[in-house]
PDB file of all heavy atoms in Angstrom:
ATOM      1  N   PHE A  16    -187.774 -51.546 167.572  1.00  0.00           N
ATOM      2  CA  PHE A  16    -188.340 -52.742 168.185  1.00  0.00           C
ATOM      3  C   PHE A  16    -187.430 -53.932 167.917  1.00  0.00           C
ATOM      4  O   PHE A  16    -186.638 -53.928 166.971  1.00  0.00           O
ATOM      5  CB  PHE A  16    -189.734 -53.029 167.697  1.00  0.00           C
ATOM      6  CG  PHE A  16    -189.866 -53.260 166.216  1.00  0.00           C
ATOM      7  CD1 PHE A  16    -189.766 -54.554 165.675  1.00  0.00           C
ATOM      8  CD2 PHE A  16    -190.046 -52.204 165.318  1.00  0.00           C
ATOM      9  CE1 PHE A  16    -189.872 -54.779 164.306  1.00  0.00           C
ATOM     10  CE2 PHE A  16    -190.154 -52.412 163.968  1.00  0.00           C
ATOM     11  CZ  PHE A  16    -190.070 -53.688 163.451  1.00  0.00           C
ATOM     12  N   THR A  17    -187.526 -54.927 168.766  1.00  0.00           N
ATOM     13  CA  THR A  17    -186.798 -56.182 168.601  1.00  0.00           C
ATOM     14  C   THR A  17    -187.788 -57.274 168.252  1.00  0.00           C
ATOM     15  O   THR A  17    -188.991 -57.151 168.461  1.00  0.00           O
ATOM     16  CB  THR A  17    -186.020 -56.554 169.862  1.00  0.00           C
ATOM     17  OG1 THR A  17    -186.961 -56.745 170.953  1.00  0.00           O
ATOM     18  CG2 THR A  17    -185.030 -55.486 170.247  1.00  0.00           C
ATOM     19  N   TYR A  36    -192.856 -59.051 168.722  1.00  0.00           N
ATOM     20  CA  TYR A  36    -192.330 -57.789 168.190  1.00  0.00           C
ATOM     21  C   TYR A  36    -192.410 -56.795 169.349  1.00  0.00           C
ATOM     22  O   TYR A  36    -193.522 -56.369 169.730  1.00  0.00           O
ATOM     23  CB  TYR A  36    -193.145 -57.331 167.014  1.00  0.00           C
ATOM     24  CG  TYR A  36    -193.115 -58.267 165.810  1.00  0.00           C
ATOM     25  CD1 TYR A  36    -193.905 -59.430 165.814  1.00  0.00           C
ATOM     26  CD2 TYR A  36    -192.349 -57.986 164.701  1.00  0.00           C
ATOM     27  CE1 TYR A  36    -193.887 -60.294 164.724  1.00  0.00           C
ATOM     28  CE2 TYR A  36    -192.327 -58.849 163.600  1.00  0.00           C
ATOM     29  CZ  TYR A  36    -193.100 -59.984 163.602  1.00  0.00           C
ATOM     30  OH  TYR A  36    -193.075 -60.827 162.539  1.00  0.00           O
ATOM     31  N   GLN A  37    -191.284 -56.458 169.936  1.00  0.00           N
ATOM     32  CA  GLN A  37    -191.206 -55.715 171.182  1.00  0.00           C
ATOM     33  C   GLN A  37    -190.725 -54.291 170.995  1.00  0.00           C
ATOM     34  O   GLN A  37    -189.524 -54.069 170.721  1.00  0.00           O
ATOM     35  CB  GLN A  37    -190.278 -56.437 172.150  1.00  0.00           C
ATOM     36  CG  GLN A  37    -189.999 -55.721 173.440  1.00  0.00           C
ATOM     37  CD  GLN A  37    -191.196 -55.714 174.364  1.00  0.00           C
ATOM     38  OE1 GLN A  37    -191.703 -56.751 174.730  1.00  0.00           O
ATOM     39  NE2 GLN A  37    -191.657 -54.527 174.728  1.00  0.00           N
ATOM     40  N   PRO A  38    -191.604 -53.270 171.098  1.00  0.00           N
ATOM     41  CA  PRO A  38    -191.110 -51.888 171.066  1.00  0.00           C
ATOM     42  C   PRO A  38    -190.140 -51.639 172.215  1.00  0.00           C
ATOM     43  O   PRO A  38    -190.290 -52.177 173.321  1.00  0.00           O
ATOM     44  CB  PRO A  38    -192.384 -51.056 171.234  1.00  0.00           C
ATOM     45  CG  PRO A  38    -193.515 -51.982 170.884  1.00  0.00           C
ATOM     46  CD  PRO A  38    -193.047 -53.352 171.285  1.00  0.00           C
ATOM     47  N   GLN A  39    -189.138 -50.827 171.955  1.00  0.00           N
ATOM     48  CA  GLN A  39    -188.153 -50.514 172.991  1.00  0.00           C
ATOM     49  C   GLN A  39    -188.635 -49.380 173.873  1.00  0.00           C
ATOM     50  O   GLN A  39    -189.144 -48.365 173.383  1.00  0.00           O
ATOM     51  CB  GLN A  39    -186.809 -50.179 172.359  1.00  0.00           C
ATOM     52  CG  GLN A  39    -186.208 -51.342 171.577  1.00  0.00           C
ATOM     53  CD  GLN A  39    -185.995 -52.580 172.448  1.00  0.00           C
ATOM     54  OE1 GLN A  39    -185.029 -52.657 173.219  1.00  0.00           O
ATOM     55  NE2 GLN A  39    -186.891 -53.550 172.323  1.00  0.00           N
ATOM     56  N   PHE A 111    -193.340 -58.063 178.740  1.00  0.00           N
ATOM     57  CA  PHE A 111    -193.155 -57.313 177.474  1.00  0.00           C
ATOM     58  C   PHE A 111    -193.443 -55.840 177.656  1.00  0.00           C
ATOM     59  O   PHE A 111    -193.618 -55.108 176.686  1.00  0.00           O
ATOM     60  CB  PHE A 111    -194.065 -57.891 176.398  1.00  0.00           C
ATOM     61  CG  PHE A 111    -194.019 -59.378 176.279  1.00  0.00           C
ATOM     62  CD1 PHE A 111    -195.164 -60.159 176.424  1.00  0.00           C
ATOM     63  CD2 PHE A 111    -192.819 -60.020 176.020  1.00  0.00           C
ATOM     64  CE1 PHE A 111    -195.102 -61.537 176.313  1.00  0.00           C
ATOM     65  CE2 PHE A 111    -192.755 -61.418 175.921  1.00  0.00           C
ATOM     66  CZ  PHE A 111    -193.883 -62.182 176.071  1.00  0.00           C
TER      67      PHE A 111
END
Side-chain angles (χ1 to χ4, degrees):
F16 61 91
T17 61
Y36 298 78
Q37 174 71 59
Q39 297 301 283
F111 311 122

